[in-house]
Amino acid sequence: MSKQPLEAVIYQTFKINLNSLVYPLFVREGRGVREEIPSMPGIYRFSPDTLIKEAESLWRLGVTTVLLFGIAGRKDETGRGAYEKGNIVSKSVSLLKRYVPTLTVITDVCLCAYTSHGHCGVLEDSDTGRIDNEHTLSALAMAALLHAEAGADCVAPSAMAKKQVGVIRGILDKNGHRDTEIIGYSAKFASQFYGPFREAADSAPRFGDRRSYQLDYFRTEDALAEIEDDIAEGADIVMVKPALSYLDVIREAKRIFKYPLAAYSVSGEYAMVKTGASQGYWDEKKMVFETFSAIRRAGADFVITYHARDIAEWLKEGK
Ligand code: PBG
């Protein structure tokens, strides 16, 4: 085999795979908003108008898929804002579809940004943060339907409620949204790496943690079982999250299920790369390419990453 320079191999790989990048975007109410998130330098909260401008520029760069997170203006005990008509996510999806119609829009479906306690579901017991699964499922189903009605191409339930994929598939089908796809946040581990995101989305649990519904990080078998369940319930794509500390799970999931697989390189992974680079510990671009390659090599078909915009820019420069 002829040995090409490393840069050339990397560029080639990335060029082929620009379509596999998913870029998360945060949106809140307001006008003209573009506020940087302190824990995630280079990542912003947008209002719907600035979100459109950002999406147009992403599209021109070749980032064609985004994952949308809503930041609630108002929170309550049961997270009603998540499925209220005309809420921030549905409004933003409609605008994106009007102004950048060829952009693929995925929406995160969860309650944690909308509940006053910051947990991902409706609580059964407010001392332990235990989730009332049935009640949570109907809230998630309504939110997913709202996003689909606004034109989302794909909904991504991230609450880790039991049967969330199946219930959402059911309500979408019943309402004429058979073509709306579902990404299951199937193997979502209770992780320290979500810290910066919770600042970004103002969604940190006010008490307790998420271990009653997210996976303990030593339980690989449970992770694989969750993936199997999501596939059986009708997920189009399954996910492992976070990415870097769970490359073995990505590998196993791909090997066993041979199913379209996404990996979410989460906020804490991004913050580590950024912090180290700002301290001069490493070269940011080389670090991003190295870690991104590792996630792809492990078996992820899609990588959700806050570096997506930068990667696309680097590729453009490298041409
Ligand atoms: C919502 C959700 C979270 C993330 C994605 N969807 C936060 C959490 O579970 O606490 C984290 C993403 C990231 O850290 O980049 N449940």
Side-chain angles (χ1 to χ4, degrees):
M1 248 201 325
S2 75
K3 200 149 165 78
Q4 284 179 286
L6 184 62
E7 286 273 300
V9 177
I10 287 171
Y11 280 130
Q12 228 169 23
T13 315
F14 280 112
K15 247 180 245 167
I16 297 168
N17 293 318
L18 205 52
N19 286 340
S20 68
L21 291 177
V22 180
Y23 189 53
L25 288 171
F26 296 96
V27 65
R28 44 156 281 189
E29 295 287 356
R31 269 195 75 79
V33 178
R34 188 174 185 272
E35 52 189 23
E36 193 166 23
I37 296 156
S39 55
M40 301 175 73
I43 302 296
Y44 300 84
R45 297 191 194 95
F46 296 99
S47 49
D49 56 327
T50 54
L51 181 81
I52 301 305
K53 294 217 169 65
E54 177 70 8
E56 285 167 343
S57 107
L58 286 166
W59 174 254
R60 280 195 297 273
L61 275 172
V63 177
T64 55
T65 308
V66 299
L67 169 59
L68 201 59
F69 289 96
I71 300 161
R74 194 170 44 76
K75 297 171 190 270
D76 63 27
E77 188 71 16
T78 56
R80 231 170 277 144
Y83 50 87
E84 226 161 38
K85 277 212 183 325
N87 79 354
I88 184 68
V89 173
S90 64
K91 194 158 59 186
S92 304
V93 172
S94 315
L95 286 170
L96 285 170
K97 282 290 154 188
R98 169 132 53 103
Y99 291 105
V100 202
T102 44
L103 187 77
T104 301
V105 180
I106 307 170
T107 57
D108 184 86
V109 178
C110 198
L111 302 185
C112 60
Y114 303 89
T115 51
S116 44
H117 43 74
H119 280 285
C120 296
V122 180
L123 293 186
E124 167 187 288
D125 173 352
S126 51
D127 291 334
T128 59
R130 200 172 295 284
I131 299 291
D132 173 344
N133 202 65
E134 286 307 306
H135 203 152
T136 301
L137 281 178
S138 40
L140 294 172
M142 286 190 283
L145 180 58
L146 191 72
H147 299 177
E149 283 169 350
D153 299 285
C154 180
V155 294
S158 70
M160 290 296 278
K162 297 269 166 254
K163 303 276 177 223
Q164 57 182 7
V165 169
V167 167
I168 289 174
R169 186 69 274 160
I171 195 168
L172 292 182
D173 288 355
K174 211 163 68 195
N175 288 277
H177 297 287
R178 281 181 191 283
D179 292 339
T180 309
E181 299 199 333
I182 300 178
I183 300 186
Y185 275 75
S186 317
K188 180 172 177 181
F189 292 91
S191 171
Q192 286 301 306
F193 282 104
Y194 306 150
F197 173 94
R198 292 176 186 171
E199 182 188 347
D202 184 25
S203 66
R206 302 293 185 264
F207 56 85
D209 57 34
R210 304 212 201 285
R211 288 183 49 231
S212 68
Y213 44 99
Q214 298 183 354
L215 296 164
D216 281 330
Y217 49 75
F218 41 84
R219 294 201 185 276
T220 317
E221 289 307 314
D222 291 352
L224 295 170
E226 294 276 358
I227 291 173
E228 190 168 19
D229 287 349
D230 277 3
I231 293 172
E233 289 172 34
D236 298 278
I237 297 171
V238 289
M239 192 201 295
V240 174
K241 173 187 171 190
L244 272 188
S245 302
Y246 299 88
L247 294 174
D248 57 330
V249 181
I250 296 175
R251 181 61 149 210
E252 275 295 276
K254 192 66 194 176
R255 189 182 65 79
I256 295 173
F257 302 110
K258 298 177 180 57
Y259 207 74
L261 180 65
Y264 196 146
S265 182
V266 299
S267 56
E269 297 175 43
Y270 176 82
M272 282 201 304
V273 170
K274 284 293 206 187
T275 308
S278 74
Q279 296 293 311
Y281 296 157
W282 48 66
D283 177 275
E284 180 175 343
K285 179 171 153 183
K286 287 186 176 152
M287 182 58 106
V288 170
F289 282 176
E290 184 174 343
T291 52
F292 185 87
S293 301
I295 298 165
R296 297 272 298 152
R297 211 170 55 229
D301 303 298
F302 307 97
V303 182
I304 304 169
T305 169
Y306 301 95
H307 296 292
R309 173 183 251 292
D310 287 339
I311 292 174
E313 263 166 13
W314 291 327
L315 287 178
K316 210 166 185 178
E317 289 162 14
K319 269 181 195 159

